[in-house]
Amino acid sequence: MRLIQVAKILGITGQELRTELMQTDFGVKPTDRETTDNLAMGIIRFIARKRGINVDFSAFESGAHDEGAVEEKSVDTESESKEVAVTTPGKKEVEPSVNVLRKLTLEDVPKEAIARQQEALKRQRTAASSSGTGSRVSAPSVPRTAQKQDRSVHQEQIKQKTGPIAVPGTISVKEFAEKAGVQVPKIVAALLKNGILATINQEIDFDTATIVALELGFTIEKEQGTVSVEALLKNDLEQLTREEDPSVLIERPAIVTVMGHVDHGKTAILDAIRSANVVAGEAGGITQHVGAYQVETGGKRITFIDTPGHEAFTAMRARGAQLTDIAILVVSAEEGVKPTTIEAIAHAKDAGVPIIVAINKMDRPNADPDRVKGELAGHGVQSEDWGGTVPMVPCSAVTKQGIPELLDTILLVAEMEELKANPKRPAIATVVESHLDKYSGPLATVVVNTGTLSVGDVIGCGGTGGKVKALLDEHGKRVTEITPSGPAVVSGFDALPRLGDILQVFRTDKELKAYLSLYTQNAAHTKKRGFADLVTRLSEGKLTELKIILKADAQGSLESIEHALQKLTSGVTVAKVIHGAVGDITESDVMMAAAGTAIVIAFNVDAAPAVIKTSEREGVSLKMYDIIYKLLEDVELLLKGLVEPVETETVTGHLEVRGVFFTKGSEMIVGGKVTDGVLKRNAFRIQRGGQTVGQGRITSLKHVEKDIKEAKEGMECGMRITTDITIEMGDVFEVYSKDFVKAT
């Protein structure tokens, strides 16, 4: 008889029985599991007498203690269950029922029968407790062989996979078995059956895996691999999201960017669409951050990106992140077209995205939509009802007039664009905002371009990586995954990503480490494309148009130069002014040039030091002229040169340092006298004792308290410079300029 059965008969635990066996020498070790029936009966009588427990032995005379007999008991309520009476002297007899499962699993047992059995055990425990007997009623026991078989069946059920299994191009036999939930020997046997001898660590291709899957009765699908580091460095979303198999693509929501002039109601329009008060929480009613939101209309979703003007839109494009599918241009029906409106039109046209015009503030008494349409037509945006191709919707963010029509128009344009994505591949997403939270660490608002982003995914983004700890939707609620075109706030970055960075999901930490290592190496050797590279691509036929951003001092000069540039052509390459405006060069102009691979040409206007720094960082060429024919001549050389230009260096003048007034990091303010030539805001070499000790750049020039463009020979001036060398009295600045001339 098994000792556990002895404990059950006595109504004690196995631990209590082992204690009794240690105190009294029955010839049975506490670690033994079985003993003879006669010795077991003696142990039961001794312990029962010692503890004052009365045991009814009539059940044992019929052989009920035999384990085989116990196994014949069933949970079926219709069968009679044999009972063992356990009582103590002077107490009312309690007869708990001990029903033992005969089946190896509970799969075929009715739930009602299990519930009745559990209820019966509960009543027995309650009765035993209230009687104060101190006896124990144990749960039904299951034979050890049955427990093992039941456990193996349960594990088999856990491992069983349902639905198609994603498999990469090549996979090891072991990994394939884990993904499919099949034992490795079965995989090896299926391979042998098809004439392939493979070990557990050997890799098989996708076609071989397909044959094995058919053999074993499950289906697989090809897993989209992660993109190359080179593709991520270029941030070319078109290349990153390209699919080899169009059949896996499904329709995705449109991603819409709202642009327009300040205070024309961009956020108010979006507020009306979302029916949530965003403007009230912003200082002065001006959008202070970049947000991404998703709304549902007509059974379909639309993702909106609310940007402060078009700066974020341009910054993302400057880094290659062409995220927007449709641009909403908000124009006030009262004020009409403004300079910022013209810039937004230029940005949208250069990006090649469809434009929808929302003529806002139609509730105002001075609203004149026809005047707005006329002004827009003057900038190449022709309304549909005027014979053009651009939808224009009169609306009001206050009264909600035209909002349903605007949403219907977006859905119509999105349907014509046929926007699709693959939700089953590793996610590709674009960062539209990032900030450091004192509780959660680095956070980034992203919009998923393709694939599905899930909690726990290993991610790389620019030069940083991490693992997705949490995903929050636009309402701040935690979600487990984000599908294509969906916005989310991602937590889990090791460092703060930049605006426009591309987020890529990797399968393992090992792949992420390899990516970050390669990214660091490539980024160190990757420089922004400069002017020489632009001309080289023109000469090689890689570009068919020279994009120009033109800034001038007056409207008349702007129009005449733009008209003259339109006539220039080399037969293959043409000059195209993608944006023209009056005023100094701004950072927005530089970022637009970086986004569209363009150059900035200025006539009789200047650029601030911060703008010059931005142009150097983004690799944008700034060309400044004060003679129109020289401007046109240089552009013509670019178009017709067809030979990579040669960089020439010209020394323009020298200055002797006579005072150092301010030093902060790499910036200094110094004063001196021009000994020869002319000084402009150019680069210079620092000469000390007849030797060159370093380089720098002049960022501004002043004479007395007046800003000047140049300082001539004999003039004393002050200047703000940037350099890594500590300037000393008596140093000589050799100022020079670089230019590119046509090679001969």
Side-chain angles (χ1 to χ4, degrees):
M1 179 183 294
R2 296 181 62 185
L3 293 179
I4 189 66
Q5 191 69 17
V6 172
K8 291 181 181 293
I9 293 171
L10 291 168
I12 62 177
T13 64
Q15 181 63 39
E16 290 175 320
L17 178 61
R18 283 193 292 272
T19 302
E20 292 289 348
L21 295 176
M22 290 174 66
Q23 293 175 352
T24 307
D25 186 11
F26 294 104
V28 179
K29 298 178 181 179
T31 55
D32 291 343
R33 295 186 176 183
E34 294 182 351
T35 185
T36 62
D37 290 352
N38 291 332
L39 183 56
M41 297 297 294
I43 293 172
I44 293 172
R45 288 190 177 92
F46 179 83
I47 296 176
R49 198 163 41 244
K50 178 181 177 182
R51 292 192 169 220
I53 301 174
N54 293 328
V55 180
D56 183 5
F57 292 94
S58 60
F60 298 98
E61 295 173 358
S62 61
H65 66 277
D66 183 76
E67 188 171 339
V70 174
E71 287 183 354
E72 290 300 319
K73 296 195 175 189
S74 172
V75 76
D76 194 345
T77 56
E78 296 179 0
S79 63
E80 295 181 359
S81 60
K82 296 186 178 182
E83 301 170 349
V84 179
V86 182
T87 63
T88 55
K91 300 292 182 180
K92 185 178 180 181
E93 188 178 54
V94 180
E95 297 183 348
S97 175
V98 182
N99 293 332
V100 184
L101 297 179
R102 176 171 57 87
K103 298 182 180 294
L104 299 182
T105 68
L106 298 178
E107 292 181 358
D108 300 326
V109 179
K111 293 182 179 179
E112 295 79 3
I114 296 174
R116 287 196 297 271
Q117 182 72 4
Q118 292 175 344
E119 186 64 30
L121 287 172
K122 193 173 181 180
R123 287 197 301 270
Q124 291 165 8
R125 292 191 183 98
T126 305
S129 175
S130 61
S131 64
T133 61
S135 61
R136 301 172 183 266
V137 180
S138 60
S141 65
V142 182
R144 185 171 300 276
T145 55
Q147 292 176 358
K148 290 182 179 179
Q149 293 182 23
D150 184 59
R151 190 181 300 114
S152 64
V153 171
H154 183 58
Q155 290 176 350
E156 186 69 25
Q157 290 174 348
I158 291 176
K159 290 182 179 179
Q160 187 66 39
K161 300 296 190 298
T162 58
I165 301 164
V167 176
T170 58
I171 187 173
S172 68
V173 173
K174 180 182 178 182
E175 188 180 357
F176 183 44
E178 291 173 351
K179 279 180 171 285
V182 178
Q183 299 295 330
V184 173
K186 291 185 179 181
I187 301 291
V188 175
L191 289 169
L192 282 172
K193 187 175 180 181
N194 289 277
I196 301 172
L197 180 62
T199 62
I200 188 172
N201 294 320
Q202 188 171 334
E203 291 194 342
I204 57 176
D205 58 21
F206 180 77
D207 294 335
T208 305
T210 304
I211 296 172
V212 174
L214 292 173
E215 185 78 24
L216 298 178
F218 59 89
T219 59
I220 64 173
E221 61 183 17
K222 193 163 186 179
E223 182 178 83
Q224 179 75 28
T226 53
V227 297
S228 65
V229 178
E230 291 76 12
L232 283 172
L233 276 172
K234 294 179 181 177
N235 277 13
D236 186 353
L237 276 177
E238 184 178 354
Q239 180 184 353
L240 295 174
T241 57
R242 185 180 293 116
E243 295 287 346
E244 297 178 359
D245 184 9
S247 63
V248 301
L249 301 176
I250 63 171
E251 185 179 356
R252 66 170 176 85
I255 302 172
V256 180
T257 296
V258 181
M259 299 190 294
H261 187 65
V262 177
D263 199 34
H264 275 200
K266 301 185 300 295
T267 307
I269 287 288
L270 191 55
D271 181 47
I273 293 172
R274 288 183 290 138
S275 299
N277 191 2
V278 174
V279 177
E282 296 176 350
I286 302 174
T287 303
Q288 302 297 314
H289 65 281
V290 179
Y293 313 91
Q294 201 168 64
V295 299
E296 185 172 347
T297 178
K300 295 185 177 181
R301 291 183 174 273
I302 304 171
T303 300
F304 287 92
I305 298 177
D306 182 22
T307 64
H310 48 263
E311 288 81 359
F313 175 78
T314 311
M316 284 188 285
R317 286 191 57 237
R319 295 185 174 91
Q322 182 72 11
L323 179 65
T324 305
D325 299 315
I326 301 171
I328 302 293
L329 182 64
V330 178
V331 185
S332 170
E334 278 188 318
E335 300 180 16
V337 175
K338 295 291 183 180
T340 314
T341 311
I342 300 171
E343 284 189 13
I345 293 171
H347 284 283
K349 282 187 174 182
D350 187 49
V353 297
I355 299 175
I356 299 175
V357 178
I359 305 177
N360 192 25
K361 302 186 180 181
M362 287 297 296
D363 56 306
R364 302 290 180 86
N366 297 327
D368 188 355
D370 289 335
R371 179 173 69 89
V372 173
K373 292 179 181 179
E375 292 176 352
L376 289 172
H379 295 281
V381 181
Q382 191 86 3
S383 175
E384 284 182 334
D385 55 357
W386 284 22
T389 59
V390 179
M392 296 191 184
V393 183
C395 56
S396 169
V398 177
T399 64
K400 307 295 190 296
Q401 171 193 347
I403 299 300
E405 290 79 4
L406 179 61
L407 293 174
D408 290 341
T409 305
I410 294 172
L411 293 178
L412 179 61
V413 174
E415 186 178 348
M416 295 173 63
E417 291 293 311
E418 297 182 350
L419 306 172
K420 295 183 178 181
N422 177 13
K424 296 184 179 180
R425 61 169 285 175
I428 298 284
T430 304
V431 177
V432 297
E433 180 194 16
S434 63
H435 68 279
L436 194 62
D437 186 84
K438 62 180 179 180
Y439 300 110
S440 305
L443 298 178
T445 302
V446 304
V447 174
V448 177
N449 304 102
T450 187
T452 299
L453 182 63
S454 305
V455 174
D457 282 346
V458 178
I459 54 174
C461 187
T464 185
K467 182 176 285 188
V468 179
K469 295 179 181 177
L471 292 172
L472 304 177
D473 64 10
E474 64 268 29
H475 304 296
K477 297 180 180 178
R478 285 181 176 265
V479 293
T480 57
E481 63 180 25
I482 299 294
T483 53
S485 297
V489 177
V490 181
S491 170
F493 294 99
D494 296 333
L496 201 63
R498 300 181 307 164
L499 173 69
D501 277 348
I502 302 299
L503 181 148
Q504 160 75 43
V505 171
F506 293 90
R507 288 188 290 266
T508 62
D509 291 327
K510 185 178 179 181
E511 286 187 1
L512 173 62
K513 290 180 181 178
Y515 155 74
L516 291 175
S517 176
L518 288 172
Y519 189 96
T520 303
Q521 296 173 14
N522 281 268
H525 296 90
T526 302
K527 297 181 179 179
K528 286 284 184 179
R529 287 173 169 169
F531 181 63
D533 182 73
L534 173 65
V535 178
T536 300
R537 286 186 291 152
L538 281 168
S539 63
E540 291 175 352
K542 295 180 181 179
L543 295 176
T544 58
E545 59 183 16
L546 175 63
K547 295 181 180 180
I548 299 172
I549 294 176
L550 182 62
K551 300 302 288 284
D553 58 344
Q555 188 66 33
S557 301
L558 178 69
E559 292 177 356
S560 60
I561 295 173
E562 188 172 352
H563 183 69
L565 288 173
Q566 290 174 354
K567 296 180 180 180
L568 297 179
T569 179
S570 66
V572 178
T573 309
V574 297
K576 180 182 179 182
V577 178
I578 60 175
H579 177 58
V582 174
D584 287 346
I585 302 172
T586 64
E587 289 193 33
S588 178
D589 298 327
V590 173
M591 295 304 296
M592 184 177 180
T597 317
I599 63 172
V600 180
I601 294 179
F603 179 72
N604 278 341
V605 293
D606 216 335
V611 176
I612 295 174
K613 285 184 180 180
T614 304
S615 68
E616 292 174 349
R617 185 184 71 244
E618 300 294 335
V620 174
S621 176
L622 304 183
K623 293 292 182 181
M624 302 181 187
Y625 300 91
D626 51 13
I627 302 175
I628 290 181
Y629 81 83
K630 177 62 177 172
L631 183 157
L632 298 175
E633 184 182 42
D634 284 358
V635 174
E636 189 173 9
L637 284 174
L638 288 176
L639 295 175
K640 295 183 178 181
L642 298 183
V643 178
E644 186 171 352
V646 177
E647 186 179 37
T648 62
E649 182 181 292
T650 305
V651 176
T652 61
H654 293 82
L655 175 136
E656 181 183 350
V657 177
R658 296 188 175 182
V660 180
F661 306 107
F662 174 78
T663 301
K664 183 181 179 181
S666 61
E667 288 193 353
M668 298 181 186
I669 296 177
V670 301
K673 182 177 181 179
V674 182
T675 56
D676 64 83
V678 177
L679 267 63
K680 294 185 178 181
R681 286 180 292 185
N682 288 323
F684 61 85
R685 282 183 286 268
I686 305 168
Q687 295 179 343
R688 185 178 300 163
Q691 294 183 345
T692 301
V693 295
Q695 293 187 340
R697 185 176 185 85
I698 302 173
T699 57
S700 66
L701 279 170
K702 278 196 173 186
H703 180 63
V704 190
E705 294 183 355
K706 184 179 180 182
D707 289 325
I708 57 175
K709 293 184 179 180
E710 61 181 33
K712 298 180 180 179
E713 183 177 348
M715 181 183 293
E716 292 185 347
C717 62
M719 64 186 71
R720 183 185 293 271
I721 63 172
T722 57
T723 180
D724 295 328
I725 304 298
T726 302
I727 303 300
E728 298 178 359
M729 297 281 289
D731 286 348
V732 175
F733 292 172
E734 184 180 61
V735 183
Y736 62 91
S737 64
K738 287 185 177 182
D739 205 353
F740 297 90
V741 298
K742 180 180 176 182
T744 58

